[in-house]
Amino acid sequence: MFLLIIITLLTGVAGIGLGGLIGALLGGISKKVNAIILSFSAGTMISLICYELIEEAMESGLSLYMTAFIVLISSLAVCLLDYFIDSREGHTDDFIACEDCDEKGMSPNRMNTKMRTKKVVRQRSKALQLMLAGLMMAAAVAIHNIPEGMSIGAIYAREGLDSSLLVLLFTIILHNIPEGMAITSSLTSSGMDRLKAVGVAAVTGLPTTLGAIIGYLIGCSEDSLLPAFALAFAAGTLAYVVFGEILPQSIKQYSSRKTAYAAIIGFAIGLIIIGGHAH
């Protein structure tokens, strides 16, 4: 358990904190590079879902239909959580292509018209909005880190610190970095001290440890089917993270064949690592 806590602290807190540090000191990385990194991590996660979590769940006693049902239910649960968070932030459930459209359902033309009618914008009010946006983003990231942590805990309970877990840890760190960068960028733009902004970003990784402990306790249960349920649940939550968050963000930032190649390469590398461990 102690090793699991250390691992998840490094994955969550250090991963997002590293992204925050990059955002605060270097101003971040280009959208193209960020999109390629996200696609690559998505590809490795897909291989992990298909050839580790689902396979292990079925080998642990779950039928094909029950496994598929749990994957759907768990992904739906995370989807509803994501929708609730977005609705609280004033976002729609669609991915808006125009980055300047910050208000729900507003087209670019209407947004420009509204902006033209505002002749005077107070700098203090704008800074407060950026501060609130950064804090809301931090809260959303923190909540989303719980199911990711549960996936780590479920695999650790079943396999220990094996290659499949290392793949998951690596991919989570990869997509935690852009999240940390986004949080710090909003907070520093509002006037917050860089060190404090990095600290806020790093704290959002703490729920990863909480989720890992929950996943581990379920995975270690004496009930023979609970570990299988935990693995299937982890597969569903990661599936939504991949197809509902990582890939759409990647495509939105850089719609190119390069991102597709990055996802395929990530899938192949993950498959080789997991397959090599299995054989």
Side-chain angles (χ1 to χ4, degrees), residues 1 4 149-150 152-154 156-157 211-221:
M1 176 71 78
L4 177 64
M150 292 179 67
I152 296 173
Y156 185 81
I213 294 173
I214 295 172
Y216 178 78
L217 293 176
I218 295 175
C220 290
S221 172

Side-chain angles (χ1 to χ4, degrees), residues 9-60:
L9 284 176
L10 290 175
T11 304
V13 177
I16 298 180
L18 176 61
L21 193 60
I22 294 173
L25 298 180
L26 305 179
I29 57 178
S30 70
K31 290 185 177 181
K32 291 183 179 180
V33 173
N34 188 31
I36 291 173
I37 292 174
L38 288 173
S39 293
F40 178 84
S41 65
T44 54
M45 278 191 178
I46 292 172
S47 64
L48 180 69
I49 293 167
C50 297
Y51 296 101
E52 179 68 23
L53 295 176
I54 292 178
E55 184 176 338
E56 287 287 339
M58 294 177 64
E59 289 179 356
S60 299

Side-chain angles (χ1 to χ4, degrees), residues 185-259:
S185 296
S186 294
L187 294 178
T188 54
S189 297
S190 70
M192 179 181 286
D193 178 74
R194 290 184 179 184
L195 187 59
K196 290 182 179 179
V198 173
V200 171
V203 167
T204 62
L206 287 176
T208 307
T209 301
L210 174 62
I213 294 173
I214 295 172
Y216 178 78
L217 293 176
I218 295 175
C220 290
S221 172
E222 294 181 359
D223 189 328
S224 60
L225 285 181
L226 271 182
F229 275 103
L231 291 169
F233 182 88
T237 56
L238 284 183
Y240 180 78
V241 169
V242 170
F243 297 107
E245 295 180 5
I246 298 179
L247 286 177
Q249 289 176 19
S250 173
I251 294 171
K252 180 181 176 181
Q253 293 183 26
Y254 185 38
S255 181
S256 167
R257 291 186 179 89
K258 293 178 181 178
T259 54

Side-chain angles (χ1 to χ4, degrees), residues 68-82 232-241 243-244:
F69 176 74
I70 296 173
V71 168
L72 289 173
I73 292 300
S74 57
S75 60
L76 177 61
V78 181
C79 178
L80 292 175
L81 176 64
D82 195 40
F233 182 88
T237 56
L238 284 183
Y240 180 78
V241 169
F243 297 107

